[in-house]
Amino acid sequence: MTPHPAVTTLDDLAAQVLADARAQHSRRSARTLVTGTSLRVTLIGLADGAELAEHDAPTAATLQVLTGRVKVHTHGEEWDLEEGRLLCIPHQRHGVTALADAVVLLTVALR
């Protein structure tokens, strides 16, 4: 298990991961904030137009938009999420596209 601070200031870290994303060729950046045996929390910065290609969903996860706007899509549905929105990620293949510079908080329940 990786040690993490008990309290994290998301605003400061969000600005950092977004700046890192803008500097990357992939236009995305991530920082794991919490790692344990049952939970992982990751802050993800996505520059406008960046994509997380379609991938399998974990057993249980949520995606909260802290800043900006993203689209999450499956084969049959899509969600346009903006700041303050929280999505319970469906248990099926999905992808994410940044519709503007965005920072999202991904929380995953581990088996």
Side-chain angles (χ1 to χ4, degrees), residues 8-63:
T8 300
T9 305
L10 291 177
D11 291 343
D12 295 342
L13 289 176
Q16 290 173 7
V17 296
L18 187 53
D20 291 346
R22 290 176 179 141
Q24 298 297 319
H25 178 71
S26 65
R27 314 268 300 146
R28 60 184 190 256
S29 176
R31 183 172 300 171
T32 300
L33 305 179
V34 176
T35 305
T37 57
S38 60
L39 181 71
R40 183 176 62 241
V41 179
T42 305
L43 194 63
I44 303 170
L46 300 165
D48 187 16
E51 293 184 352
L52 297 175
E54 193 173 279
H55 54 279
D56 292 328
T59 302
T62 62
L63 187 74

Side-chain angles (χ1 to χ4, degrees), residues 63 69-82 86-97 99:
L63 187 74
R69 201 167 130 230
V70 299
K71 177 175 67 172
V72 178
H73 68 276
T74 64
H75 286 286
E77 294 182 84
E78 67 178 46
W79 299 267
D80 188 350
L81 306 170
E82 55 192 28
L86 175 77
L87 173 70
C88 182
I89 298 173
H91 191 62
Q92 56 187 295
R93 290 186 63 78
H94 64 281
V96 180
T97 304
L99 302 175

Side-chain angles (χ1 to χ4, degrees), residues 63-70 81-87 102-105:
L63 187 74
Q64 179 182 1
V65 180
L66 301 179
T67 64
R69 201 167 130 230
V70 299
L81 306 170
E82 55 192 28
E83 186 173 325
R85 299 292 174 117
L86 175 77
L87 173 70
V103 177
V104 298
L105 189 66

